[in-house]
Amino acid sequence: MYRATDFDRAFVRARAAQFRDQLERWQRGTLSEEQFRPLRLQNGWYVQRHAPMLRVAVPYGVLSAPQLRTLARIAREHDHQDAGTQTERGGFGHFSTRQNLQFNWIPLDSAADVMDLLADVDMHGIQTSGNCIRNVTTDALAGIAPDEVVDPRPYCELLRQWSTLHPEFAFLPRKFKIAVTGAREDRAAIAWHDIGLQLLRNAEGAVGFRVLAGGGMGRTPIVATEVAAFVPWAHILVFIEAIVRVYNLHGRRDNAYKARLKILVKAEGQRFADDVQREYAQLLGDGAPTIPVAELERVAASFTEPAGVRDAAQLPHGEQAPREDLPPAYLRWLERNVHAHRVAGYRAVTLSLKRAGLPPGDVTAAQMDNAAGLAERFSLGELRVTHEQNLLLPWVRHDQLPALWAAARDAGFATPNIGLLTDMIACPGGDLCALANARSIPVAAAIQERFEDLDEQLDIGDVDLHLSGCINSCGHHHSGHIGILGVDKDGSEWYQVTLGGADGSARGGAAVAGKVIGPSFAADEVPDVLEALIDVYRRERQAGERFVDVVRRLGVPPFRAAADAARRATAAVATS
């Protein structure tokens, strides 16, 4: 993982000291609320429904065990609920689809102390908020995936360094998100981002990027458009600068809902791509700096294999087939949570954060400490945050899998549900977020309870279930095979269901937005509706077909009819 330099550490510490000064001036009243608001947002501090929320940057999802232990300490010492609120939660963190971590109960009085703790382990909240280029995300298997063409991590780090506090792009029309993949399978959902970058090699073997622009969810879900088939890697910052300059010049600033890049790309079509190419050519002609080979090599040096990685032939037991005497629970975990690795003798292992009793993506302070301990013992001290809101151990020796399974099971991380119905993506919703129209957490809990039988989940197979508490789509409901969107109807919470969405990964194919199946449902109807949808799939599936395959073959009508019947049945029970 990236090794921070003396400059990096001095920069983060100076930023923390600057924020402390800003906070103290606001507390004294010499800095107004209007003046302080953009300053705290630029450091990741929101004011949510009940308390401040801090979003901590986890660049391209990579965490060290010491960093996770510091996050656990912050949760334990500073993340406490306010007295008088209706929830009793606190002392936890929430991993988001952008591979960041959010704290929801840290009082602003503690904010400067928290920023100092983060700086101690080279972390911060810079540009996790505001109308700027946000945290760059990538595939959680970056650098270790067998289908990888080019390791995206060095390029993600170059993007991070280039975009951090870039003066021209600090006040864009709206927030701006970039995702990068270097693998044949898109596990980073690049088509759902303002800019999506796919690393590839041309016929001569040269490395470059296919560039997509204008993707996004929200009120108007749009899949990104290709604006360049191949940009040489050394020119990628110039090309992105051209895109963002065109956006900065022409993007709307009069309407927050129409200010995203996707609206401009959709409105302008080919004219947008032409404008970008002209700006790109002019920047190159004016001598805009490209990335020197020496700089890429300097950054890439941080992303070599960790000390201690050995080829399978050097491992104590080499590659071995699973033993038949191991329990069925272990074999299920091996199938769902353990992933192939490019280095012989190693595996990547997902620690499931989807289990009964906690919302999807949530981890308590104790669980963070436990996950850090697993990373130290089994993964050379490194973890990854996944787009699906789980944690991943990237450097697990094959011969240590049984011991890891036992330790992960004891820590509550070994639920073998990765890719299954209960491995859902969900935002915090109305329990915590001031923007939400409806709660996500109780609905997620009801779904977990309804489908808690693991044998049933395994029979259903791969299903991407995504749940958002409002149209801002933080739960990525548009890209779910089943999407659930919380909406407000005259002050009541209702839930709209979509079918057939995909994020670009192999489980669902090319990125596409799901289709609404009809009027929204009350919260207590949602589990019955989901069960009805699954029943249609089980009745109609052919050999080898996944849920999303059947949806696309049959279309929405039979699923809509089943959902409507479930609504009527629920209503009849309620009135009997």
Side-chain angles (χ1 to χ4, degrees):
M1 59 186 294
Y2 180 70
R3 296 186 292 273
T5 64
D6 291 341
F7 173 84
D8 296 326
R9 293 193 174 95
F11 175 83
V12 172
R13 290 188 182 280
R15 183 74 171 197
Q18 181 188 58
F19 179 74
R20 181 179 291 277
D21 175 68
Q22 294 163 348
L23 177 66
E24 289 174 350
R25 285 189 287 139
W26 171 72
Q27 290 171 323
R28 293 195 304 267
T30 57
L31 200 64
S32 70
E33 178 61 35
E34 183 179 1
Q35 293 168 321
F36 182 56
R37 182 177 182 273
L39 300 176
R40 62 171 169 77
L41 286 173
Q42 289 167 16
N43 286 285
W45 289 94
Y46 292 75
V47 173
Q48 292 286 63
R49 187 176 297 274
H50 301 297
M53 183 268 278
L54 168 64
R55 183 177 293 140
V56 180
V58 184
Y60 37 93
V62 178
L63 272 173
S64 69
Q67 287 175 328
L68 188 55
R69 288 196 186 280
T70 294
L71 295 174
R73 177 183 173 186
I74 291 170
R76 185 178 297 108
E77 297 179 1
H78 297 280
D79 186 75
H80 303 295
Q81 71 159 93
D82 290 339
T85 60
Q86 293 182 347
T87 177
E88 295 183 357
R89 301 175 68 212
F92 71 99
H94 173 79
F95 286 107
S96 75
T97 57
R98 294 210 58 72
Q99 301 178 299
N100 291 321
L101 182 79
Q102 298 175 181
F103 292 109
N104 290 280
W105 297 100
I106 300 177
L108 280 177
D109 286 350
S110 300
D113 293 336
V114 169
M115 300 303 277
D116 285 339
L117 287 172
L118 291 173
D120 287 343
V121 288
D122 307 321
M123 300 188 78
H124 55 76
I126 299 169
Q127 291 183 199
T128 58
S129 174
N131 295 334
C132 59
I133 295 175
R134 298 283 186 91
N135 191 49
V136 177
T137 59
T138 192
D139 179 1
L141 295 175
I144 60 173
D147 69 334
E148 190 166 85
V149 178
V150 182
D151 186 349
R153 294 173 299 167
Y155 301 95
C156 290
E157 177 58 26
L158 287 168
L159 280 166
R160 184 195 70 80
Q161 294 186 20
W162 169 78
S163 64
T164 300
L165 303 189
H166 193 303
E168 189 172 357
F169 307 138
F171 298 98
L172 297 169
R174 281 287 274 133
K175 58 187 176 181
F176 200 93
K177 300 175 180 180
I178 300 174
V180 189
T181 184
R184 292 181 178 86
E185 179 186 350
D186 176 16
R187 290 177 288 267
I190 64 171
W192 287 111
H193 285 73
D194 294 281
I195 292 178
L197 301 175
Q198 180 187 7
L199 276 155
L200 42 77
R201 294 181 184 273
N202 64 14
E204 291 74 40
V207 174
F209 291 87
R210 174 175 175 249
V211 182
L212 310 179
M217 296 192 184
R219 292 175 183 268
T220 310
I222 298 176
V223 173
T225 300
E226 182 181 295
V227 292
F230 187 86
V231 175
W233 69 265
H235 295 178
I236 192 60
L237 298 185
V238 180
F239 195 87
I240 293 175
E241 183 160 345
I243 292 175
V244 185
R245 278 193 172 190
V246 171
Y247 173 50
N248 218 357
L249 182 64
H250 298 295
R252 293 185 61 171
R253 296 176 185 270
D254 61 327
N255 185 320
Y257 300 116
K258 297 182 179 181
R260 293 294 297 270
L261 176 67
K262 63 184 181 180
I263 302 299
L264 179 64
V265 173
K266 183 178 181 181
E268 295 296 315
Q270 186 59 42
R271 287 195 301 270
F272 173 83
D274 293 342
D275 286 347
V276 169
Q277 291 290 348
R278 278 192 295 270
E279 184 68 27
Y280 173 55
Q282 182 169 335
L283 284 167
L284 287 176
D286 290 343
T290 57
I291 304 170
V293 173
E295 180 62 8
L296 176 63
E297 291 175 345
R298 180 190 71 83
V299 173
S302 289
F303 298 102
T304 55
E305 291 175 0
V309 172
R310 292 177 287 170
D311 186 81
Q314 299 174 294
L315 295 177
H317 306 292
E319 288 277 13
Q320 293 181 333
R323 301 201 315 266
E324 293 183 0
D325 61 332
L326 290 168
Y330 170 76
L331 298 178
R332 285 176 169 177
W333 175 81
L334 204 64
E335 177 187 0
R336 302 304 312 190
N337 296 46
V338 179
H339 319 286
H341 204 289
R342 67 169 180 80
V343 178
Y346 283 82
R347 298 291 184 268
V349 177
T350 299
L351 304 179
S352 177
L353 303 185
K354 317 297 173 56
R355 61 277 193 232
L358 280 177
D362 278 16
V363 278
T364 65
Q367 289 167 335
M368 283 189 255
D369 276 330
N370 287 337
L374 293 177
E376 290 165 339
R377 182 178 171 190
F378 296 104
S379 187
L380 300 173
E382 184 178 335
L383 307 97
R384 309 278 178 86
V385 183
T386 75
H387 168 70
E388 295 82 10
Q389 298 175 286
N390 292 308
L391 291 173
L392 182 135
L393 301 180
W395 297 101
V396 179
R397 279 174 27 185
H398 184 273
D399 61 299
Q400 293 187 332
L401 287 172
L404 170 57
W405 170 71
R409 180 193 55 191
D410 292 344
F413 294 128
T415 306
N417 65 342
I418 302 307
L420 301 179
L421 191 64
T422 59
D423 184 25
M424 69 187 84
I425 288 175
C427 70
D431 282 293
L432 297 170
C433 179
L435 300 177
N437 295 318
R439 291 173 295 170
S440 302
I441 293 171
V443 174
I447 295 170
Q448 289 267 9
E449 183 178 357
R450 178 64 62 91
F451 293 96
E452 64 180 348
D453 184 273
L454 188 59
D455 288 328
E456 181 182 19
Q457 289 188 61
L458 290 166
D459 177 65
I460 295 167
D462 290 339
V463 179
D464 289 349
L465 173 60
H466 299 175
L467 172 58
S468 296
C470 77
I471 199 62
N472 287 293
S473 312
C474 293
H476 290 209
H477 63 277
H478 291 298
S479 66
H481 302 163
I482 302 173
I484 301 175
L485 167 65
V487 296
D488 175 81
K489 280 188 176 182
D490 300 323
S492 298
E493 296 176 335
W494 292 77
Y495 296 87
Q496 186 182 82
V497 176
T498 57
L499 291 179
D503 59 14
S505 68
R507 287 199 306 272
V512 64
K515 297 179 179 179
V516 179
I517 68 170
S520 53
F521 301 91
D524 60 354
E525 295 173 332
V526 171
D528 292 335
V529 167
L530 279 185
E531 190 164 348
L533 298 175
I534 296 299
D535 285 345
V536 173
Y537 161 64
R538 295 169 109 169
R539 184 176 66 247
E540 299 291 341
R541 64 185 171 184
Q542 298 173 1
E545 276 192 314
R546 300 162 302 177
F547 177 86
V548 70
D549 299 325
V550 175
V551 170
R552 290 170 184 166
R553 177 167 59 84
L554 298 181
V556 166
F559 293 93
R560 179 190 296 124
D564 288 342
R567 185 208 306 273
R568 290 192 296 271
T570 303
V573 170
T575 56
S576 62

